[in-house]
Amino acid sequence: SQQGEEDPQALSIQEGENATMNCSYKTSINNLQWYRQNSGRGLVHLILIRSNEREKHSGRLRVTLDTSKKSSSLLITASRAADTASYFCATVSDYKLSFGAGTTVTVRA
Amino acid sequence: KAGVTQTPRYLIKTRGQQVTLSCSPISGHRSVSWYQQTPGQGLQFLFEYFSETQRNKGNFPGRFSGRQFSNSRSEMNVSTLELGDSALYLCASSSLKSGGGRTEAFFGQGTRLTVV
């Protein structure tokens, strides 16, 4: 079974708009990570947020973590066509990454 | 630094056969994990190796096995293939300090296995 659940399952936005996706998880974690996957290829690590952090930024990405609600959000600002991909959250515990089902983001030109 | 290399990239096998997939981690990385990705089940954890020892295993039947060599390269084997084993198999390596929490994982491009 998957630890994280992303919401929404799919998102379609216009280039330049912001994209927000959420992740909920069930058990305690060491950290939470976000990954991107372009169609049928390997995953690319985007950002890692530790359980004692609340917010983290990396370029156009902003991640928040609320351990009391067991949830995280990923915000992509000023989206570009190249941001079209599936985005996964992954929780880490006991040396294992557990992935959610992912959010498919389509950025329209 | 070279990335994570998985071979082969594509594979077609017949039901009942067995298959071995290979993964070469990033130099210096001692942790190698394997994942299966299918449209129906998403990304499922198979197993993780660290310094040639399996530290964690997912909920897969015994037909799925793996090993890690002293140079950290890893192989996974699937015996008696079934149609449902058709999937993208991803390998990830990470640099893990002994006793510490996990860092980010670096994924290979995957091996696309088709069982016919």
Side-chain angles (χ1 to χ4, degrees):
Chain A
S1 63
Q2 292 168 336
Q3 163 77 302
E5 294 293 333
E6 285 94 342
D7 170 59
Q9 288 187 321
L11 192 55
S12 180
I13 55 174
Q14 202 71 32
E15 206 166 22
E17 293 181 336
N18 296 342
T20 301
M21 57 211 87
N22 303 295
C23 168
S24 59
Y25 57 93
K26 297 172 184 172
T27 62
S28 61
I29 58 173
N30 301 117
N31 62 61
L32 186 144
Q33 302 177 32
W34 286 89
Y35 288 82
R36 184 187 74 227
Q37 184 180 37
N38 291 93
S39 181
R41 300 174 70 85
L43 279 74
V44 174
H45 178 264
L46 294 175
I47 197 163
L48 179 155
I49 186 165
R50 302 199 184 281
S51 58
N52 61 352
E53 297 175 308
R54 292 296 168 259
E55 188 172 310
K56 204 160 183 181
H57 296 256
S58 176
R60 294 183 295 111
L61 305 179
R62 173 179 169 255
V63 167
T64 62
L65 178 65
D66 186 335
T67 52
S68 66
K69 295 180 179 177
K70 291 187 167 58
S71 68
S72 174
S73 68
L74 170 67
L75 167 68
I76 304 172
T77 60
S79 63
R80 305 166 182 170
D83 295 328
T84 294
S86 292
Y87 292 81
F88 296 88
C89 69
T91 53
V92 180
S93 63
D94 196 24
Y95 306 113
K96 183 173 76 171
L97 275 172
S98 297
F99 289 90
T103 294
T104 300
V105 175
T106 302
V107 181
R108 307 185 307 272
Chain B
K1 255 187 185 177
V4 177
T5 303
Q6 289 189 247
T7 56
R9 288 292 310 279
Y10 302 92
L11 207 49
I12 300 175
K13 289 286 189 179
T14 305
R15 269 182 304 176
Q17 288 187 311
Q18 74 164 15
V19 67
T20 299
L21 312 182
S22 179
C23 172
S24 293
I26 290 173
S27 177
H29 285 191
R30 295 161 64 190
S31 170
V32 174
S33 299
W34 289 89
Y35 297 84
Q36 180 197 65
Q37 186 177 29
T38 60
Q41 297 298 315
L43 276 156
Q44 300 286 322
F45 171 78
L46 281 156
F47 23 68
E48 191 246 5
Y49 288 88
F50 182 81
S51 293
E52 301 178 67
T53 300
Q54 186 182 88
R55 287 201 298 197
N56 208 338
K57 189 177 191 301
N59 295 324
F60 279 82
R63 300 185 296 107
F64 292 80
S65 63
R67 58 178 175 168
Q68 186 180 33
F69 302 95
S70 58
N71 62 358
S72 293
R73 190 178 71 85
S74 178
E75 288 181 347
M76 69 162 280
N77 184 277
V78 187
S79 62
T80 320
L81 284 165
E82 301 176 359
L83 294 179
D85 297 333
S86 294
L88 180 66
Y89 289 87
L90 293 163
C91 163
S93 76
S94 64
S95 173
L96 187 70
K97 294 179 183 176
S98 175
R102 196 171 186 126
T103 59
E104 62 267 33
F106 295 84
F107 282 80
Q109 291 299 299
T111 294
R112 172 75 63 183
L113 172 65
T114 302
V115 182
V116 298

